[in-house]
């Protein structure tokens, strides 16, 4: 049954292609193509978190910040903390979000992320820690999630055995498109 298959990928373009193909296959044997679950990891995380918001500790009417909005919010926090007016230039909002995202999505701590990927920002480690803590606090106060949060909250939600079984019980198969550069994918 189409509704028992979850299709996941990294980009919208790849998600559209996967869903289009799945709909074409499903139409051959059934007319319930609107029930196919699939999309990007972030879109699927958003959908699941809306369904299980209370269990995830969220208000169901949360807002999702896109990358640009997350950068703007980080910049506001940065300015409120006075980090924009230093003798030495503090990292820009885009860099701050990139550092934050790498820390949140990876297994490396801030020190390692700075050493390996952003060595020019290492002098600001303590300020970045405080900035990120304040950013998280402000997101929570405003009932907003960024893209990283969609994955984090989804992951935390699945640590609850009852909810993990309930969500997992929806699907017989989970298909993941591992190829991250969908612009180079050759479809037959």
């Amino acid at each position: 049954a189409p509704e028992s298959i979850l299709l996941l990928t990294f980009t919208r373009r790849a998600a559209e292609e996967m869903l289009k193909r799945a709909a074409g296959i499903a139409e051959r044997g059934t007319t319930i193509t609107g029930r196919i679950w699939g999309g990007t990891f972030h879109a699927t995380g958003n959908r699941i978190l809306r369904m299980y918001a209370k269990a995830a500790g969220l208000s169901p009417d949360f807002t999702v910040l896109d990358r640009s909005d997350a950068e703007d919010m980080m910049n506001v926090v940065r300015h409120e903390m006075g980090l924009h007016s230093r003798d030495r230039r503090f990292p820009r909002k885009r860099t701050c979000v990139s550092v934050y995202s790498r820390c949140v999505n990876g297994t490396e701590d801030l020190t390692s992320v700075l050493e390996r990927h952003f060595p020019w920002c290492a002098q600001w480690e303590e300020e970045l820690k405080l900035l990120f803590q304040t950013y998280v606090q402000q997101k929570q106060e405003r009932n907003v999630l960024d893209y990283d949060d969609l994955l984090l909250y989804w992951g935390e939600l699945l640590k609850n055995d009852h909810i993990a079984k309930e969500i997992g019980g929806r699907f017989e198969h989970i298909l993941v498109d591992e190829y991250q550069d969908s612009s180079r994918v050759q479809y037959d």
Side-chain angles (χ1 to χ4, degrees), residues 119-132:
W120 63 94
C121 300
Q123 66 185 347
W124 299 106
E125 183 174 355
E126 290 305 313
E127 291 86 348
L128 286 167
K129 277 183 190 175
L130 186 56
L131 173 65
F132 298 159

Side-chain angles (χ1 to χ4, degrees), residues 61-163:
D61 63 343
F62 65 83
T63 300
V64 178
L65 301 175
D66 65 16
R67 178 73 179 213
S68 176
D69 292 334
E71 289 174 2
D72 289 344
M73 186 171 182
M74 183 75 76
N75 200 42
V76 168
V77 174
R78 193 173 148 259
H79 278 267
E80 288 174 354
M81 295 176 66
L83 296 173
H84 66 291
S85 59
R86 299 288 176 124
D87 292 339
R88 293 171 294 161
R89 185 177 189 147
F90 191 77
R92 295 181 180 198
K93 65 183 182 180
R94 176 172 292 180
T95 303
C96 291
V97 170
S98 294
V99 172
Y100 172 79
S101 185
R102 191 170 285 273
C103 290
V104 168
N105 286 308
T107 57
E108 294 178 280
D109 62 11
L110 179 58
T111 302
S112 299
V113 167
L114 292 175
E115 286 174 2
R116 290 189 62 203
H117 306 284
F118 302 93
W120 63 94
C121 300
Q123 66 185 347
W124 299 106
E125 183 174 355
E126 290 305 313
E127 291 86 348
L128 286 167
K129 277 183 190 175
L130 186 56
L131 173 65
F132 298 159
Q133 290 169 354
T134 307
Y135 172 68
V136 168
Q137 180 182 9
Q138 294 218 4
K139 287 189 299 178
Q140 291 171 345
E141 290 171 3
R142 290 175 171 78
N143 194 34
V144 298
L145 303 178
D146 59 26
Y147 285 165
D148 296 318
D149 293 327
L150 294 173
L151 303 179
L152 286 174
Y153 276 87
W154 182 10
E156 286 300 311
L157 186 64
L158 293 176
K159 289 180 181 177
N160 177 312
D161 290 337
H162 173 73
I163 292 172

Side-chain angles (χ1 to χ4, degrees), residues 51-62:
M51 294 169 63
Y52 295 93
K54 187 174 179 180
L58 299 168
S59 172
D61 63 343
F62 65 83

Side-chain angles (χ1 to χ4, degrees), residues 9-74:
T9 190
F10 293 93
T11 67
R12 287 184 192 146
R13 182 175 167 196
E16 289 170 7
E17 182 65 25
M18 285 176 68
L19 289 169
K20 182 176 128 187
R21 286 177 169 210
I25 292 167
E27 284 176 1
R28 292 180 203 151
T30 183
T31 59
I32 55 174
T33 58
R35 295 164 130 183
I36 296 173
W37 270 69
T40 64
F41 284 94
H42 294 102
T44 303
N46 185 18
R47 183 175 178 184
I48 288 172
L49 289 174
R50 298 260 179 220
M51 294 169 63
Y52 295 93
K54 187 174 179 180
L58 299 168
S59 172
D61 63 343
F62 65 83
T63 300
V64 178
L65 301 175
D66 65 16
R67 178 73 179 213
S68 176
D69 292 334
E71 289 174 2
D72 289 344
M73 186 171 182
M74 183 75 76

